[in-house]
Amino acid sequence: MLPVRRVVVLSQGTVTLFAWGADVADGHLHDLLIFTSTLGELRDDWGAMETSDVEPRVWSGFWRLVRASLRGQELPETNWNDRIALAAAMWELNDLEAAQGKLTALIERADRRSLRLYQMQLEQGHKTTP
């Protein structure tokens, strides 16, 4: 069973992160999937990464997810190690592997729909004016 909250010790203080509930998880799905895919690729090299190695739009999503996890708490000033700790806590609190599965399913669904539309266009052929 997944924990519902995690105390994270940061360089400038301590915060408690909460798991995203089912009522907001879908609302954060886009940020969650971008965050998951980006940090999933970088996860093995976190120690060697710098803040500037991650695109600003990914950080925007990351901070939205952190705010959602904090549930109104103030976040102290953070450094790279703090951000790694926050990310690790969110990975532990939320089933991100399931989110990766959702991303794969969405891509497959979009591919099937695209193929279906292409086949319909072929069947209809090009209409010419009389």
Side-chain angles (χ1 to χ4, degrees), residues 8-12 77-87:
V8 182
V9 178
L10 305 172
S11 60
Q12 301 293 317
E77 185 84 20
T78 61
N79 60 31
W80 179 247
N81 290 332
D82 294 337
R83 293 172 188 192
I84 292 172
L86 292 167

Side-chain angles (χ1 to χ4, degrees), residues 12-74:
Q12 301 293 317
T14 302
V15 295
T16 302
L17 296 185
F18 294 86
W20 303 309
D23 59 331
V24 295
D26 286 343
H28 297 307
L29 187 58
H30 184 256
D31 291 333
L32 179 63
L33 294 175
I34 290 172
F35 173 73
T36 301
S37 63
T38 301
L39 289 187
E41 294 292 322
L42 303 175
R43 192 171 189 187
D44 293 333
D45 298 319
W46 275 351
M49 301 301 296
E50 295 182 16
T51 303
S52 60
D53 292 333
V54 179
E55 292 182 26
R57 68 182 178 87
V58 174
W59 280 123
S60 295
F62 173 79
W63 293 121
R64 280 190 295 274
L65 296 174
V66 169
R67 281 192 302 277
S69 297
L70 287 171
R71 294 188 181 171
Q73 295 173 76
E74 289 294 319

